[in-house]
Amino acid sequence: MMDIRVLRLGHRKSRDARITTHVCLTARAFGASEVILSGEEDPKLMEGVDDVVKRWGGPFRVSYRRNWQGVIESWKQMGGEVVHLTMYGLPARDVIPDLRESPAGKMVVVGGARVPGKVYRLADYNVGVTNQPHSEVSSLAVFLHMLLDGGEFDLKFENPLIEVVPQAHGKKLIERGGDADAEGDR
């Protein structure tokens, strides 16, 4: 599987907790191994994401770095590629073949409030899933789905306490924990 990390720019605790949580959940579900938050440090959000990983399986982590530029520069020095998701970028469908061919790890950058111009210059690719205003969560999901060619459907998460059993109707979970395993319909 491709090494994918997500850098969330400009997180604001008071305004962005829900959207940043959704960035983290989407990144995890679609095959990224980590989200790196920049902006304001938010231990409560990070603990919440860690709890999801404990219950639904890993590996996945969320970390914090104040200096987003240092994160990008370090990633590039290690041979990784930086993909900035922006509605101003090249169409994803045109860029995805090159990204799939490259063995380099991918750091996917998603913005918050105003994205500094330097991000556009540091990125190896500025990529748009559409050129209309939309959510960073939707752009991340669409981009990762395209990049992995639907491979997120086959992901297996290590040591889950909860697993969904796909059903045509209703909800079925396998719950592990404590002394007994339980399987139940809801």
Side-chain angles (χ1 to χ4, degrees):
M1 186 62 116
M2 190 179 301
D3 181 14
I4 302 170
R5 317 280 173 97
V6 175
L7 173 60
R8 167 67 159 126
L9 297 176
H11 173 70
R12 300 165 296 180
K13 283 170 56 170
S14 63
R15 296 189 58 168
D16 297 334
R18 185 170 174 85
I19 199 85
T20 299
T21 298
H22 287 199
V23 165
C24 293
L25 296 177
T26 299
R28 179 190 163 276
F30 282 77
S33 62
E34 179 179 18
V35 169
I36 302 161
L37 301 179
S38 72
E40 295 178 9
E41 191 168 9
D42 195 341
K44 183 178 175 188
L45 181 145
M46 294 170 68
E47 288 169 13
V49 173
D50 287 343
D51 184 59
V52 169
V53 175
K54 286 177 190 159
R55 290 183 292 127
W56 291 89
F60 183 82
R61 64 183 237 131
V62 60
S63 62
Y64 173 77
R65 300 286 188 288
R66 181 176 306 281
N67 181 358
W68 61 264
Q69 185 175 334
V71 172
I72 290 174
E73 289 170 348
S74 175
W75 183 257
K76 291 179 76 156
Q77 286 173 358
M78 294 186 311
E81 295 175 322
V82 176
V83 180
H84 172 222
L85 297 182
T86 171
M87 66 186 218
Y88 304 105
L90 296 173
R93 69 176 172 269
D94 296 343
V95 176
I96 291 289
D98 291 339
L99 290 170
R100 280 193 198 136
E101 280 186 30
S102 169
K106 311 296 186 254
M107 175 165 291
V108 181
V109 180
V110 295
R114 187 164 179 216
V115 174
K118 192 154 194 173
V119 173
Y120 292 84
R121 292 186 297 278
L122 286 172
D124 298 298
Y125 299 89
N126 287 289
V127 178
V129 298
T130 178
N131 63 355
Q132 296 295 310
H134 59 286
S135 160
E136 55 268 39
V137 176
S138 65
S139 64
L140 181 62
V142 170
F143 175 77
L144 291 177
H145 172 74
M146 291 174 72
L147 181 64
L148 298 177
D149 197 22
E152 72 276 6
F153 294 115
D154 300 322
L155 291 175
K156 301 290 183 212
F157 293 90
E158 298 171 4
N159 303 315
L161 297 177
I162 304 169
E163 279 186 89
V164 170
V165 179
Q167 304 288 303
H169 301 283
K171 299 177 185 178
K172 188 170 187 178
L173 296 175
I174 297 173
E175 296 182 62
R176 297 176 186 85
D179 298 327
D181 288 348
E183 189 171 320
D185 295 322
R186 296 183 190 237

